[in-house]
Amino acid sequence: MGQDASELVVPFVGALQAAVSVLITIFCKSTGPAGLVVGVLTAQFNLLSTSAAKEVSRTCVRMFLPALLIYKLGTNLDKDTGIRYLPILFWSISYQAISLAFGVAACRVFKLPNWVKLAVTFNNTTSLPLLLIQSLSTTGVLDAIIPAGDEASKALDRAESYFLINAMVSNSLTFALGPRLLRPNDEDAPEENNKDDEQEDGDEDDNMERGPDGIIDEETSLLPQRAVRPINRVEGRGYKRTMKWIEGLPPWVQQVLEFMYQFANAPLLGTLVGAIIGLTPPLKKLFFADSNNGGYFNAWLTTAIKNVGDLFATMQIIVVGVKLSQSLRKMKAGEDSGKVDKKSMAFVFVTRFFIWPAISIPLIYALATKTGVLDNDPMLWFAMMLMSAGPSAMILVALTDTIGSPEEEKMAIAKFLTISYAITPLMCFAVVGSLKATQAAMEQ
């Protein structure tokens, strides 16, 4: 009995240490509690306004996250192992689709806010899983599921690549479906705003020697005006001809194109670029090999992409801190600061930390032991068991900024995310369950 207890206690303590280590690592990297504090102080001292934080959030989504995906996927993908990622693609789409259906039903039955559907559907699939894997390897918890003869470093690299494929699917679905979920009755409003923005951008392009306030500033094009105007004219004509061509198509074709356009977002483009680089040997050598071995882009372009991608988590959490500061100010003034009711929190927390691990662990175990669907890689099984667990994605704040959600909703989501990451050590239960199930599958 004592030996059986120790077999559970040792990995549980190791997993708990890893979860706490993740929080400490997050704290030291300013991508968690410290980042929130920095964000709050930034807003309190008027170093970053709410409007500026909104622009930073958009920059995170449109520049920093695509760069992160390009680097991570390009590093870990290759043509020999690409087939093993197909089950991950199917599993990622499946568990998020089920979560969405569950969230939609719960919101209708219990009258929960719209954002709860997103919080229960999309979990943190980028920074948290990668940090957790690193911490688990440090505590030695993962040694038990690394096959004999397999190098620990290679096994960990595979685990990271598995999580990144899941991140690609999650980020693509977030920006494709998120606006419709948050604004189901006002789907055209963001598009109208975007058209206004495009019109303003077009007006500026016609006068490229002047900034938006009529003076030359850092946003002014460096190209001569006589070179810029012809380019703008060609782009305008091409846009008008394309729209005229689309309007002449049958209505059902227009609807299909409109649906597909929802997936044409910056994170998906970054994913495609990273996958193309990783799966094309000459490109992968050019970007990631040593400079002396043909990696001519490694020292400058690849390093620049990596540095830009590393900014994503830090800047995103600072934006959450700014939102939280604004919420605290309104609470102090007795104004509406965004409400997060206990019912919403309990629903999301129980689903994300307990219900999904209870579903995914036995399911992946059965697939690994009873079928030949999954590759014979314990790290793959372990990663798939954990993919559906964990706190909600920080990128939800960027999504609300992108579609122009009300400030009260943004502040409510900021409060919710702060609490979510404070209880991250609850992941230790899912980690222990996945570890023991993977060990049992290896013995079959």
Side-chain angles (χ1 to χ4, degrees), residues 141-353:
V141 172
L142 294 182
D143 293 344
I145 60 173
I146 297 178
D150 193 4
E151 295 183 16
S153 60
K154 292 183 178 180
L156 295 178
D157 286 341
R158 291 199 307 273
E160 290 184 353
S161 66
Y162 299 149
F163 280 115
L164 284 169
I165 292 297
N166 182 46
M168 175 268 293
V169 175
S170 179
N171 288 321
S172 299
L173 292 177
T174 299
F175 286 96
L177 303 179
R180 294 177 178 271
L181 296 176
L182 282 178
R183 292 290 174 269
N185 299 322
D186 192 22
E187 295 176 1
D188 294 333
E191 296 178 5
E192 292 175 1
N193 293 338
N194 289 339
K195 289 180 181 179
D196 293 339
D197 293 341
E198 290 173 2
Q199 182 64 37
E200 292 177 2
D201 293 341
D203 294 341
E204 290 176 14
D205 289 342
D206 290 339
N207 227 344
M208 291 302 291
E209 78 279 4
R210 298 293 176 185
D213 51 0
I215 63 174
I216 297 176
D217 57 15
E218 67 276 4
E219 296 183 0
T220 304
S221 173
L222 298 179
L223 294 174
Q225 184 180 4
R226 63 181 61 184
V228 171
R229 282 184 172 176
I231 296 176
N232 292 337
R233 291 195 190 102
V234 172
E235 291 178 351
R237 291 172 183 171
Y239 174 78
K240 291 179 180 179
R241 289 177 181 176
T242 302
M243 293 304 298
K244 185 176 180 180
W245 175 75
I246 293 177
E247 291 173 357
L249 296 174
W252 68 271
V253 176
Q254 295 184 34
Q255 293 178 0
V256 171
L257 292 176
E258 181 182 359
F259 177 76
M260 294 178 62
Y261 180 74
Q262 301 297 323
F263 291 86
N265 52 67
L268 178 59
L269 295 178
T271 298
L272 293 177
V273 172
I276 291 173
I277 293 175
L279 297 175
T280 308
L283 289 178
K284 186 163 186 175
K285 179 179 180 181
L286 195 63
F287 277 86
F288 296 104
D290 293 336
S291 299
N292 296 330
N293 295 325
Y296 302 113
F297 289 171
N298 194 356
W300 59 283
L301 182 57
T302 305
T303 301
I305 293 174
K306 178 180 182 299
N307 292 337
V308 171
D310 288 342
L311 293 173
F312 171 73
T314 301
M315 298 305 298
Q316 190 63 65
I317 194 64
I318 289 178
V319 171
V320 175
V322 173
K323 301 294 184 187
L324 183 60
S325 173
Q326 185 182 8
S327 177
L328 295 174
R329 285 180 177 179
K330 291 198 172 186
M331 287 177 60
K332 187 176 181 180
E335 302 176 9
D336 188 3
S337 59
K339 181 181 179 181
V340 184
D341 60 283
K342 295 180 180 179
K343 186 166 56 176
S344 297
M345 287 192 295
F347 170 69
V348 177
F349 294 161
V350 171
T351 303
R352 293 251 56 91
F353 286 99

Side-chain angles (χ1 to χ4, degrees), residues 69-78 157 161 164 274 277-278 284 288 302:
L69 290 169
I70 290 173
Y71 179 78
K72 291 293 186 179
L73 291 179
T75 303
N76 291 282
L77 276 176
D78 60 71
D157 286 341
S161 66
L164 284 169
I277 293 175
K284 186 163 186 175
F288 296 104
T302 305

Side-chain angles (χ1 to χ4, degrees), residues 95-149:
Y95 86 75
Q96 290 178 87
I98 295 172
S99 297
L100 176 57
F102 187 41
V104 170
C107 288
R108 289 181 179 177
V109 173
F110 300 109
K111 307 300 181 183
L112 302 178
N114 268 338
W115 61 263
V116 173
K117 292 181 287 189
L118 295 181
V120 79
T121 302
F122 304 113
N123 58 315
N124 188 318
T125 56
T126 307
S127 57
L128 184 64
L130 298 182
L131 288 174
L132 184 64
I133 286 293
Q134 295 173 7
S135 300
L136 289 173
S137 65
T138 302
T139 59
V141 172
L142 294 182
D143 293 344
I145 60 173
I146 297 178

